[in-house]
Amino acid sequence: KNQVEQSPQSLIILEGKNCTLQCNYTVSPFSNLRWYKQDTGRGPVSLTIMTFSENTKSNGRYTATLDADTKQSSLHITASQLSDSASYICVVSDSGGGADGLTFGKGTHLIIQP
Amino acid sequence: DAGVTQSPTHLIKTRGQQVTLRCSPISGHKSVSWYQQVLGQGPQFIFQYYEKEERGRGNFPDRFSARQFPNYSSELNVNALLLGDSALYLCASSLVTGGTDTQYFGPGTRLTVL
């Protein structure tokens, strides 16, 4: 069964600090991995997408890494801001394509304190 | 360009009732997917439609049905509501059906079943 595990479940950090969120997956075959940001009560917004051959991808203060050998990904947030408070969801797609090939993690709930 | 829109924003129903949720995709997007997100969990795939045809179905009972119209908008219907159907229902649109194509999520419809 395809699975995506995220850690930590929740995280509280001070504004201006950096943090790293983890994602481990057992999706096979693998096509791509995406990170989404979801504000409370809102729909997820795409941050990055990485295919098998990509090791890192940045989007502003967000940097995602992918190790396809160990099936691990991380999302690093630099110089956190209050607006970064949200849930961050890791989504892995199998090579079949289509929405039914997406496996969602439960997310990491990040709180930035002033 | 307008993003994905969903209506209504919030909905309160009682057990046994029926509900219809609506979604308008981003202009030019031909694929619409529906997800159920229970509080504290990642989204669970319900349906995907492309060019008005069902392309995928998640592990949901037959009480859940959907359709896509010629203008690519979509409706999700849920019959005989149960308390467990209370969730945020997300609609996502994309240009095609999969691969590295990014899904763009709407704000969701918050359904509460009493």
PDB file of all heavy atoms in Angstrom, chain B residues 91-114:
ATOM      1  N   CYS B  91     -12.113  20.846  -4.274  1.00  0.00           N
ATOM      2  CA  CYS B  91     -12.114  20.621  -5.712  1.00  0.00           C
ATOM      3  C   CYS B  91     -10.777  21.127  -6.242  1.00  0.00           C
ATOM      4  O   CYS B  91     -10.262  22.154  -5.809  1.00  0.00           O
ATOM      5  CB  CYS B  91     -13.266  21.381  -6.351  1.00  0.00           C
ATOM      6  SG  CYS B  91     -13.232  21.422  -8.153  1.00  0.00           S
ATOM      7  N   ALA B  92     -10.203  20.399  -7.183  1.00  0.00           N
ATOM      8  CA  ALA B  92      -8.936  20.808  -7.793  1.00  0.00           C
ATOM      9  C   ALA B  92      -9.061  20.690  -9.300  1.00  0.00           C
ATOM     10  O   ALA B  92      -9.667  19.751  -9.819  1.00  0.00           O
ATOM     11  CB  ALA B  92      -7.787  19.954  -7.291  1.00  0.00           C
ATOM     12  N   SER B  93      -8.476  21.648 -10.014  1.00  0.00           N
ATOM     13  CA  SER B  93      -8.486  21.554 -11.475  1.00  0.00           C
ATOM     14  C   SER B  93      -7.057  21.500 -12.009  1.00  0.00           C
ATOM     15  O   SER B  93      -6.118  21.971 -11.369  1.00  0.00           O
ATOM     16  CB  SER B  93      -9.252  22.721 -12.097  1.00  0.00           C
ATOM     17  OG  SER B  93      -8.481  23.924 -12.097  1.00  0.00           O
ATOM     18  N   SER B  94      -6.919  20.900 -13.163  1.00  0.00           N
ATOM     19  CA  SER B  94      -5.618  20.837 -13.830  1.00  0.00           C
ATOM     20  C   SER B  94      -5.853  20.797 -15.330  1.00  0.00           C
ATOM     21  O   SER B  94      -6.953  20.502 -15.797  1.00  0.00           O
ATOM     22  CB  SER B  94      -4.819  19.609 -13.375  1.00  0.00           C
ATOM     23  OG  SER B  94      -5.534  18.418 -13.610  1.00  0.00           O
ATOM     24  N   LEU B  95      -4.780  21.093 -16.082  1.00  0.00           N
ATOM     25  CA  LEU B  95      -4.898  21.136 -17.539  1.00  0.00           C
ATOM     26  C   LEU B  95      -5.228  19.765 -18.108  1.00  0.00           C
ATOM     27  O   LEU B  95      -6.117  19.628 -18.948  1.00  0.00           O
ATOM     28  CB  LEU B  95      -3.590  21.650 -18.147  1.00  0.00           C
ATOM     29  CG  LEU B  95      -3.376  23.159 -18.107  1.00  0.00           C
ATOM     30  CD1 LEU B  95      -1.950  23.484 -18.542  1.00  0.00           C
ATOM     31  CD2 LEU B  95      -4.368  23.870 -18.999  1.00  0.00           C
ATOM     32  N   VAL B  96      -4.477  18.777 -17.653  1.00  0.00           N
ATOM     33  CA  VAL B  96      -4.709  17.415 -18.119  1.00  0.00           C
ATOM     34  C   VAL B  96      -4.926  16.535 -16.899  1.00  0.00           C
ATOM     35  O   VAL B  96      -5.357  17.006 -15.848  1.00  0.00           O
ATOM     36  CB  VAL B  96      -3.548  16.913 -18.996  1.00  0.00           C
ATOM     37  CG1 VAL B  96      -3.553  17.642 -20.333  1.00  0.00           C
ATOM     38  CG2 VAL B  96      -2.213  17.094 -18.310  1.00  0.00           C
ATOM     39  N   THR B  97      -4.628  15.260 -17.004  1.00  0.00           N
ATOM     40  CA  THR B  97      -5.032  14.348 -15.944  1.00  0.00           C
ATOM     41  C   THR B  97      -3.927  13.926 -15.006  1.00  0.00           C
ATOM     42  O   THR B  97      -4.198  13.307 -13.988  1.00  0.00           O
ATOM     43  CB  THR B  97      -5.638  13.059 -16.530  1.00  0.00           C
ATOM     44  OG1 THR B  97      -4.646  12.420 -17.359  1.00  0.00           O
ATOM     45  CG2 THR B  97      -6.854  13.358 -17.371  1.00  0.00           C
ATOM     46  N   GLY B  98      -2.689  14.186 -15.314  1.00  0.00           N
ATOM     47  CA  GLY B  98      -1.683  13.698 -14.388  1.00  0.00           C
ATOM     48  C   GLY B  98      -0.286  14.076 -14.775  1.00  0.00           C
ATOM     49  O   GLY B  98      -0.075  15.191 -15.264  1.00  0.00           O
ATOM     50  N   GLY B  99       0.665  13.189 -14.564  1.00  0.00           N
ATOM     51  CA  GLY B  99       2.059  13.485 -14.808  1.00  0.00           C
ATOM     52  C   GLY B  99       2.533  14.554 -13.853  1.00  0.00           C
ATOM     53  O   GLY B  99       2.219  14.526 -12.674  1.00  0.00           O
ATOM     54  N   THR B 100       3.229  15.537 -14.357  1.00  0.00           N
ATOM     55  CA  THR B 100       3.708  16.623 -13.503  1.00  0.00           C
ATOM     56  C   THR B 100       2.740  17.803 -13.508  1.00  0.00           C
ATOM     57  O   THR B 100       3.061  18.877 -13.009  1.00  0.00           O
ATOM     58  CB  THR B 100       5.090  17.104 -13.975  1.00  0.00           C
ATOM     59  OG1 THR B 100       4.989  17.491 -15.354  1.00  0.00           O
ATOM     60  CG2 THR B 100       6.131  16.007 -13.846  1.00  0.00           C
ATOM     61  N   ASP B 101       1.572  17.583 -14.079  1.00  0.00           N
ATOM     62  CA  ASP B 101       0.595  18.654 -14.135  1.00  0.00           C
ATOM     63  C   ASP B 101       0.159  19.022 -12.731  1.00  0.00           C
ATOM     64  O   ASP B 101      -0.277  18.168 -11.964  1.00  0.00           O
ATOM     65  CB  ASP B 101      -0.601  18.186 -14.972  1.00  0.00           C
ATOM     66  CG  ASP B 101      -1.549  19.312 -15.296  1.00  0.00           C
ATOM     67  OD1 ASP B 101      -1.072  20.440 -15.538  1.00  0.00           O
ATOM     68  OD2 ASP B 101      -2.756  19.071 -15.292  1.00  0.00           O
ATOM     69  N   THR B 102       0.249  20.296 -12.365  1.00  0.00           N
ATOM     70  CA  THR B 102      -0.088  20.742 -11.021  1.00  0.00           C
ATOM     71  C   THR B 102      -1.591  20.874 -10.856  1.00  0.00           C
ATOM     72  O   THR B 102      -2.273  21.374 -11.753  1.00  0.00           O
ATOM     73  CB  THR B 102       0.584  22.085 -10.725  1.00  0.00           C
ATOM     74  OG1 THR B 102       1.998  21.910 -10.759  1.00  0.00           O
ATOM     75  CG2 THR B 102       0.186  22.593  -9.339  1.00  0.00           C
ATOM     76  N   GLN B 103      -2.077  20.416  -9.729  1.00  0.00           N
ATOM     77  CA  GLN B 103      -3.470  20.602  -9.393  1.00  0.00           C
ATOM     78  C   GLN B 103      -3.623  21.897  -8.616  1.00  0.00           C
ATOM     79  O   GLN B 103      -2.864  22.165  -7.683  1.00  0.00           O
ATOM     80  CB  GLN B 103      -3.974  19.432  -8.559  1.00  0.00           C
ATOM     81  CG  GLN B 103      -4.081  18.134  -9.335  1.00  0.00           C
ATOM     82  CD  GLN B 103      -5.053  17.184  -8.684  1.00  0.00           C
ATOM     83  OE1 GLN B 103      -5.058  17.056  -7.484  1.00  0.00           O
ATOM     84  NE2 GLN B 103      -5.858  16.503  -9.474  1.00  0.00           N
ATOM     85  N   TYR B 104      -4.600  22.679  -8.982  1.00  0.00           N
ATOM     86  CA  TYR B 104      -4.902  23.929  -8.312  1.00  0.00           C
ATOM     87  C   TYR B 104      -6.199  23.727  -7.523  1.00  0.00           C
ATOM     88  O   TYR B 104      -7.239  23.415  -8.107  1.00  0.00           O
ATOM     89  CB  TYR B 104      -5.056  25.062  -9.330  1.00  0.00           C
ATOM     90  CG  TYR B 104      -3.759  25.375 -10.046  1.00  0.00           C
ATOM     91  CD1 TYR B 104      -3.394  24.654 -11.177  1.00  0.00           C
ATOM     92  CD2 TYR B 104      -2.911  26.367  -9.584  1.00  0.00           C
ATOM     93  CE1 TYR B 104      -2.197  24.916 -11.837  1.00  0.00           C
ATOM     94  CE2 TYR B 104      -1.722  26.638 -10.234  1.00  0.00           C
ATOM     95  CZ  TYR B 104      -1.372  25.906 -11.362  1.00  0.00           C
ATOM     96  OH  TYR B 104      -0.192  26.163 -12.001  1.00  0.00           O
ATOM     97  N   PHE B 105      -6.101  23.944  -6.224  1.00  0.00           N
ATOM     98  CA  PHE B 105      -7.234  23.676  -5.348  1.00  0.00           C
ATOM     99  C   PHE B 105      -8.094  24.918  -5.145  1.00  0.00           C
ATOM    100  O   PHE B 105      -7.593  26.055  -5.112  1.00  0.00           O
ATOM    101  CB  PHE B 105      -6.751  23.188  -3.983  1.00  0.00           C
ATOM    102  CG  PHE B 105      -6.245  21.773  -3.982  1.00  0.00           C
ATOM    103  CD1 PHE B 105      -4.931  21.495  -4.324  1.00  0.00           C
ATOM    104  CD2 PHE B 105      -7.090  20.723  -3.646  1.00  0.00           C
ATOM    105  CE1 PHE B 105      -4.460  20.186  -4.332  1.00  0.00           C
ATOM    106  CE2 PHE B 105      -6.617  19.421  -3.650  1.00  0.00           C
ATOM    107  CZ  PHE B 105      -5.317  19.151  -3.998  1.00  0.00           C
ATOM    108  N   GLY B 106      -9.372  24.671  -4.986  1.00  0.00           N
ATOM    109  CA  GLY B 106     -10.289  25.717  -4.596  1.00  0.00           C
ATOM    110  C   GLY B 106     -10.277  25.895  -3.086  1.00  0.00           C
ATOM    111  O   GLY B 106      -9.574  25.170  -2.374  1.00  0.00           O
ATOM    112  N   PRO B 107     -11.054  26.845  -2.579  1.00  0.00           N
ATOM    113  CA  PRO B 107     -11.073  27.137  -1.140  1.00  0.00           C
ATOM    114  C   PRO B 107     -11.803  26.085  -0.316  1.00  0.00           C
ATOM    115  O   PRO B 107     -11.666  26.059   0.899  1.00  0.00           O
ATOM    116  CB  PRO B 107     -11.778  28.491  -1.055  1.00  0.00           C
ATOM    117  CG  PRO B 107     -12.641  28.525  -2.263  1.00  0.00           C
ATOM    118  CD  PRO B 107     -11.899  27.799  -3.331  1.00  0.00           C
ATOM    119  N   GLY B 108     -12.586  25.248  -0.994  1.00  0.00           N
ATOM    120  CA  GLY B 108     -13.291  24.190  -0.289  1.00  0.00           C
ATOM    121  C   GLY B 108     -14.690  24.567   0.151  1.00  0.00           C
ATOM    122  O   GLY B 108     -15.054  25.752   0.238  1.00  0.00           O
ATOM    123  N   THR B 109     -15.483  23.543   0.404  1.00  0.00           N
ATOM    124  CA  THR B 109     -16.808  23.685   1.008  1.00  0.00           C
ATOM    125  C   THR B 109     -16.788  22.928   2.334  1.00  0.00           C
ATOM    126  O   THR B 109     -16.494  21.735   2.362  1.00  0.00           O
ATOM    127  CB  THR B 109     -17.913  23.100   0.107  1.00  0.00           C
ATOM    128  OG1 THR B 109     -18.035  23.876  -1.082  1.00  0.00           O
ATOM    129  CG2 THR B 109     -19.245  23.095   0.845  1.00  0.00           C
ATOM    130  N   ARG B 110     -17.082  23.644   3.391  1.00  0.00           N
ATOM    131  CA  ARG B 110     -17.121  23.018   4.718  1.00  0.00           C
ATOM    132  C   ARG B 110     -18.523  22.474   4.945  1.00  0.00           C
ATOM    133  O   ARG B 110     -19.469  23.231   5.036  1.00  0.00           O
ATOM    134  CB  ARG B 110     -16.766  24.030   5.783  1.00  0.00           C
ATOM    135  CG  ARG B 110     -16.997  23.565   7.219  1.00  0.00           C
ATOM    136  CD  ARG B 110     -16.008  22.486   7.617  1.00  0.00           C
ATOM    137  NE  ARG B 110     -14.623  22.959   7.621  1.00  0.00           N
ATOM    138  CZ  ARG B 110     -13.579  22.184   7.845  1.00  0.00           C
ATOM    139  NH1 ARG B 110     -13.744  20.905   8.068  1.00  0.00           N
ATOM    140  NH2 ARG B 110     -12.366  22.691   7.831  1.00  0.00           N
ATOM    141  N   LEU B 111     -18.636  21.135   4.992  1.00  0.00           N
ATOM    142  CA  LEU B 111     -19.919  20.474   5.215  1.00  0.00           C
ATOM    143  C   LEU B 111     -19.985  19.967   6.642  1.00  0.00           C
ATOM    144  O   LEU B 111     -19.100  19.240   7.095  1.00  0.00           O
ATOM    145  CB  LEU B 111     -20.099  19.306   4.241  1.00  0.00           C
ATOM    146  CG  LEU B 111     -21.318  18.404   4.473  1.00  0.00           C
ATOM    147  CD1 LEU B 111     -22.617  19.180   4.274  1.00  0.00           C
ATOM    148  CD2 LEU B 111     -21.278  17.183   3.559  1.00  0.00           C
ATOM    149  N   THR B 112     -21.048  20.341   7.331  1.00  0.00           N
ATOM    150  CA  THR B 112     -21.297  19.850   8.684  1.00  0.00           C
ATOM    151  C   THR B 112     -22.606  19.076   8.664  1.00  0.00           C
ATOM    152  O   THR B 112     -23.634  19.594   8.222  1.00  0.00           O
ATOM    153  CB  THR B 112     -21.397  20.998   9.691  1.00  0.00           C
ATOM    154  OG1 THR B 112     -20.175  21.751   9.665  1.00  0.00           O
ATOM    155  CG2 THR B 112     -21.634  20.474  11.093  1.00  0.00           C
ATOM    156  N   VAL B 113     -22.554  17.832   9.124  1.00  0.00           N
ATOM    157  CA  VAL B 113     -23.745  16.988   9.191  1.00  0.00           C
ATOM    158  C   VAL B 113     -24.118  16.800  10.660  1.00  0.00           C
ATOM    159  O   VAL B 113     -23.304  16.331  11.460  1.00  0.00           O
ATOM    160  CB  VAL B 113     -23.498  15.621   8.517  1.00  0.00           C
ATOM    161  CG1 VAL B 113     -24.786  14.779   8.565  1.00  0.00           C
ATOM    162  CG2 VAL B 113     -23.045  15.811   7.080  1.00  0.00           C
ATOM    163  N   LEU B 114     -25.336  17.198  10.997  1.00  0.00           N
ATOM    164  CA  LEU B 114     -25.795  17.107  12.392  1.00  0.00           C
ATOM    165  C   LEU B 114     -26.717  15.927  12.590  1.00  0.00           C
ATOM    166  O   LEU B 114     -27.384  15.491  11.636  1.00  0.00           O
ATOM    167  CB  LEU B 114     -26.495  18.407  12.789  1.00  0.00           C
ATOM    168  CG  LEU B 114     -25.650  19.696  12.646  1.00  0.00           C
ATOM    169  CD1 LEU B 114     -26.505  20.906  12.983  1.00  0.00           C
ATOM    170  CD2 LEU B 114     -24.433  19.624  13.549  1.00  0.00           C
TER     171      LEU B 114
END
